[in-house]
Amino acid sequence: MAKKKGSLSHIYPKDRRCFSLLAKSGAMSRDTLHKLEITDNRIKSYKQAGLIKEVSVPDRHGNGIRTFYELTDKKGKDFCRQECGTRQFISNGNASIHNAKVSEYLADNLSKKELESCLSERELKPFIEGRLQEYLDRQEHDRYQELVDALKSNQLSMPDIIYKTEQGVYEAVEITTDNYGNTEIESKTMTCGLLSVEVTFVHT
């Protein structure tokens, strides 16, 4: 029996890619949806099916209102669970501009294969456990202990996204704002160092 698909008559790979990324970033602009091959008609279908909602927020620089799309709490997240296998969601609701910048950067800079490898900061527990095991396997006991100590003392500050490049190397992305101080940036850098990933900081 087919899975329940809300009121979308067909679900395409680009739909799954879009919703998976939306669950990991938290918000998207219409332009970003277009970059993911989602047409205005398809956006309308998502809204009519109750999968996404429009959220309007004042522009940070006071130049009017910006509109973004976010998952609806019930149908949108259920769709992601059923169709994308998503278990964790980004839901810092007051950060629509930041969240939309995350998805914009990923859509602009990552291949389809890289997009499918993205892990949000909520999904990094298995990744961290994998790194710990790698360090043990390679007998890098100092690196293993440093990461364990940072975990125990709650010192890790996770990046927005970690993804696997086409070359098979993990990299991280962190979107920064004017509110970011040196301490936060140093904390993200330290965490990525402990996880053996290069981090790219993108200022909004």
Side-chain angles (χ1 to χ4, degrees):
M1 186 174 173
K3 289 179 181 176
K4 187 179 177 184
K5 297 177 180 175
S7 53
L8 291 181
S9 53
H10 295 285
I11 297 171
Y12 303 98
K14 64 185 176 184
D15 295 321
R16 292 189 178 91
R17 192 177 306 117
C18 168
F19 275 90
S20 178
L21 190 56
L22 192 50
K24 295 169 194 298
S25 66
M28 268 185 208
S29 67
R30 185 178 291 266
D31 284 348
T32 299
L33 284 160
H34 290 167
K35 288 169 190 169
L36 295 170
E37 303 171 9
I38 307 301
T39 64
D40 285 338
N41 278 341
R42 198 61 174 162
I43 295 170
K44 188 176 175 183
S45 296
Y46 292 166
K47 286 170 65 181
Q48 288 174 339
L51 303 179
I52 61 172
K53 60 186 177 185
E54 279 189 11
V55 177
S56 296
V57 296
D59 183 82
R60 189 179 287 126
H61 305 292
N63 300 327
I65 299 293
R66 297 178 67 180
T67 300
F68 302 109
Y69 297 93
E70 298 180 357
L71 292 172
T72 54
D73 278 341
K74 183 75 177 80
K75 286 188 175 180
K77 289 181 179 178
D78 281 350
F79 180 91
C80 289
R81 289 184 187 100
Q82 291 167 10
E83 298 298 332
C84 310
T86 307
R87 294 289 173 266
Q88 303 286 335
F89 297 88
I90 293 296
S91 56
N92 43 342
N94 297 322
S96 298
I97 292 175
H98 167 275
N99 294 349
K101 187 69 179 178
V102 173
S103 56
E104 179 188 336
Y105 179 87
L106 297 175
D108 282 344
N109 293 281
L110 273 60
S111 68
K112 288 178 181 177
K113 184 179 177 184
E114 288 170 340
L115 285 174
E116 287 167 4
S117 74
C118 285
L119 298 169
S120 76
E121 56 190 288
R122 301 276 178 88
E123 299 174 307
L124 289 177
K125 187 180 176 188
F127 178 81
I128 294 168
E129 290 169 349
R131 276 294 191 244
L132 286 169
Q133 191 58 51
E134 281 178 40
Y135 295 159
L136 278 182
D137 292 345
R138 295 202 298 257
Q139 297 190 345
E140 295 176 7
H141 299 298
D142 288 347
R143 301 189 76 180
Y144 172 85
Q145 197 57 51
E146 275 187 272
L147 183 49
V148 167
D149 290 346
L151 276 168
K152 282 182 180 173
S153 56
N154 210 23
Q155 283 183 304
L156 293 185
S157 181
M158 297 303 174
D160 289 315
I161 295 286
I162 286 180
Y163 68 95
K164 195 174 191 177
T165 68
E166 292 280 359
Q167 292 73 38
V169 177
Y170 284 100
E171 294 193 1
V173 177
E174 177 66 26
I175 303 299
T176 64
T177 66
D178 292 337
N179 298 329
Y180 268 61
N182 287 337
T183 304
E184 285 177 280
I185 289 173
E186 285 168 9
S187 184
K188 301 281 183 186
T189 304
M190 180 203 78
T191 296
C192 290
L194 289 173
L195 295 174
S196 301
V197 294
E198 290 286 328
V199 59
T200 298
F201 289 99
V202 183
H203 191 72
T204 56

